[in-house]
Amino acid sequence: MRGPATVAALGRAAWAGVDPEGFFRRHACDATPFPVRFPGLGEVLFFSAADGARDILTAPATLCQAPLPNPIEPVVGQNSLILLSGEAHRRARSVLTPPFRGELMRRYVDVIAQVAEDEIATLQPGDQLRIGHVAQAITLDVVIRVVFGVTGRAERAEFSRVTTQLLRSGSAALMLVPWLRRDIAGRGPWARLVAFRQQLDRLLSGQIEQRRDSGDHGADVLGLILGATDDEGNIVTEDALHDQLRTMLAAGHETSSTSLTWALYHIHRDPRIRSRVLDELATAGTPAEITVLPYLAAVIQETLRVHPTVPIVLRRLTGPLTVAGVACSAGDVVGIALPALHFNPELWDDPESFRPERFLDTKPSPFQYAPFGGGYRRCIGAAFASTELAVAVGTVMKTLELRLPTREQRGRPPRAVPRGIATKPSREIALDVVARR
């Protein structure tokens, strides 16, 4: 029979799984860490203040591992950078990080703008722009073009179809309960996921083989990786390359599409913010100029503060570590609850308000604001994501005059709920198309 403590722990885990932003924000004022027990992972001790974030993010790589099992492994594979630890993680990161340097990613701003323009090209006054649908289409096509260099319409459509089916096949139950991952005579949810993953791998193999046969790797991310070696002179193995590419395709577009959705929602929910963004966009003549607009950048930063797409940062300790004065032992899993950290009233003035100006006034510390994680495991695509979001938001708003329907203006914002690799708004949000600019 389960005792009250066990029932309470299961209740906390269920709440955190269904409504992570709501659950963790309630702990924004907690001066002490709080535990949450997750199925398969065990107890995680969460911290919501800057001192805890600092101790976790600056802990040596030799003291930390990626906590396993991880529910995204069926999609991305065991060689994914997200799942690696120790020396394997360091070597993989040495190959994968250089192609995502900010100065290289800025060469793709025109591609991002063109993708956004193409996606909204048919919308006319009286139509509705479904933000989540459009955001997913834009960010997926951007990854297919920028990471893989696939430019043909038919080839991009096939990559998009298979990727979408793979991500949809990764249901919450299948991702969280390993014993459900069974093939029943070639049928069932697990068989479908494996089949879609194999289809995507065949597409990836064809793209890789084409590059190697031509002798011209190209200047996109795939080309840079194919031409790179780690610091010991080793190239990425075929299986590892597939896992890393699947990670970029899945994680890279799902997180960005969520942030793009939230950014457009908040901009059009507040007429003052919308007007200021439009005034600033009027000064930008090219996609490259959009990327350096300070207020738009602040809107994106505020979006990531209010809605971090991956709401928790986790480390499994391999040795003793003191976190915010708490002695933790080898085997413990410690975490940063980003919604709690980002809403901590001791760190943020009026944290409940969506106020981009806060990022114009000051630059928060990396232990106060960590939407891309931090330390040696910080997201390698952070610079590209920020560039992509600015260009996509700017292009949509320079092309269409949009309005949030009155019912959305007056209603409560949707919750952020787990969907695959990232969290997403709990309902589709539609903007009315007023005019084409």
Side-chain angles (χ1 to χ4, degrees):
M1 183 174 179
R2 291 171 174 165
T6 302
V7 173
L10 290 172
R12 286 195 298 272
W15 184 5
V18 172
D19 181 17
E21 282 188 5
F23 173 78
F24 287 117
R25 284 180 192 175
R26 287 181 64 91
H27 292 275
C29 296
D30 286 10
T32 57
F34 56 95
V36 179
R37 182 173 292 276
F38 293 101
L41 184 62
E43 183 175 279
V44 178
L45 189 62
F46 280 105
F47 295 79
S48 58
D51 55 351
R54 178 200 62 225
D55 292 339
I56 292 172
L57 295 178
T58 60
T62 54
L63 276 182
C64 302
Q65 291 180 337
L68 299 175
N70 189 308
I72 70 171
E73 183 178 344
V75 172
V76 299
Q78 63 183 2
N79 296 301
S80 167
L81 185 66
I82 296 173
L83 308 182
L84 296 176
S85 297
E87 195 61 18
H89 178 268
R90 186 192 63 77
R91 287 196 302 269
R93 195 175 179 92
S94 72
V95 172
L96 299 174
T97 299
F100 284 94
R101 291 197 303 269
E103 63 271 20
L104 290 176
M105 290 297 98
R106 281 189 285 273
R107 71 175 64 168
Y108 295 112
V109 294
D110 291 332
V111 173
I112 298 167
Q114 186 62 59
V115 169
E117 288 176 5
D118 290 347
E119 187 56 36
I120 60 176
T122 62
L123 291 174
Q124 298 297 325
D127 292 340
Q128 284 198 321
L129 184 153
R130 293 189 296 148
I131 310 179
H133 175 79
V134 168
Q136 280 193 311
I138 290 172
T139 56
L140 181 54
D141 201 26
V142 166
V143 171
I144 291 170
R145 293 197 196 193
V146 169
V147 174
F148 306 135
V150 180
T151 56
R153 184 181 297 274
E155 292 85 352
R156 295 197 333 265
E158 183 66 2
F159 264 96
S160 178
R161 180 189 69 81
V162 175
T163 301
T164 301
Q165 289 176 322
L166 172 60
L167 294 177
R168 287 177 179 171
S169 68
S171 66
L174 197 62
M175 302 284 266
L176 293 171
V177 185
W179 64 265
L180 290 176
R181 301 171 192 170
R182 298 179 180 180
D183 187 329
I184 306 172
R187 300 179 180 273
W190 178 247
R192 284 195 296 273
L193 185 148
V194 171
F196 289 133
R197 190 176 62 198
Q198 290 172 341
Q199 287 183 41
L200 180 55
D201 280 347
R202 284 194 290 271
L203 292 175
L204 294 173
S205 292
Q207 191 70 6
I208 293 167
E209 184 177 351
Q210 179 182 332
R211 298 294 186 84
R212 287 177 171 160
D213 287 347
S214 70
D216 180 11
H217 291 162
D220 50 50
V221 173
L222 174 58
L224 293 172
I225 293 173
L226 286 174
T229 59
D230 63 23
D231 48 15
E232 295 181 357
N234 302 308
I235 64 170
V236 182
T237 66
E238 196 76 10
D239 287 345
L241 181 56
H242 276 220
D243 289 0
Q244 305 302 0
L245 293 174
R246 266 190 264 109
T247 301
M248 295 173 197
L249 194 57
H253 110 82
E254 283 213 313
T255 52
S256 293
S257 70
T258 295
S259 298
L260 178 54
T261 301
W262 283 121
L264 287 169
Y265 169 77
H266 282 290
I267 288 170
H268 290 88
R269 186 176 172 85
D270 188 327
R272 178 188 59 85
I273 294 175
R274 175 179 172 274
S275 178
R276 187 164 177 180
V277 170
L278 286 172
D279 287 346
E280 193 178 57
L281 284 169
T283 69
T286 66
E289 290 173 352
I290 292 176
T291 67
V292 295
L293 297 176
Y295 188 71
L296 178 56
V299 168
I300 291 166
Q301 288 177 290
E302 179 72 340
T303 299
L304 294 170
R305 180 189 72 85
V306 176
H307 305 290
T309 54
V310 180
I312 56 178
V313 176
L314 303 181
R315 303 282 192 270
R316 185 180 294 278
L317 301 180
T318 59
L321 180 70
T322 299
V323 181
V326 178
C328 301
S329 305
D332 289 349
V333 180
V334 295
I336 305 168
L338 293 181
L341 181 71
H342 289 180
F343 276 70
N344 187 325
E346 293 186 0
L347 302 174
W348 303 92
D349 179 42
D350 190 18
E352 297 294 330
S353 296
F354 189 90
R355 188 158 58 82
E357 293 80 4
R358 71 176 82 245
F359 287 95
L360 298 175
D361 300 336
T362 185
K363 182 179 179 179
S365 85
F367 313 127
Q368 172 185 358
Y369 176 71
F372 296 105
Y376 72 97
R377 298 192 73 94
R378 188 172 189 270
C379 174
I380 63 173
F384 178 67
S386 298
T387 298
E388 178 185 24
L389 291 171
V391 174
V393 168
T395 302
V396 169
M397 294 186 66
K398 284 173 75 69
T399 305
L400 299 174
E401 181 183 346
L402 300 165
R403 180 177 56 210
L404 189 67
T406 303
R407 65 181 181 278
E408 281 286 2
Q409 289 274 7
R410 296 175 177 174
R412 291 177 60 85
R415 292 184 297 108
V417 296
R419 288 288 188 275
I421 287 173
T423 60
K424 296 184 178 182
S426 56
R427 65 175 184 270
E428 180 65 279
I429 304 164
L431 297 174
D432 294 330
V433 179
V434 179
R436 294 191 69 88
R437 299 187 188 279

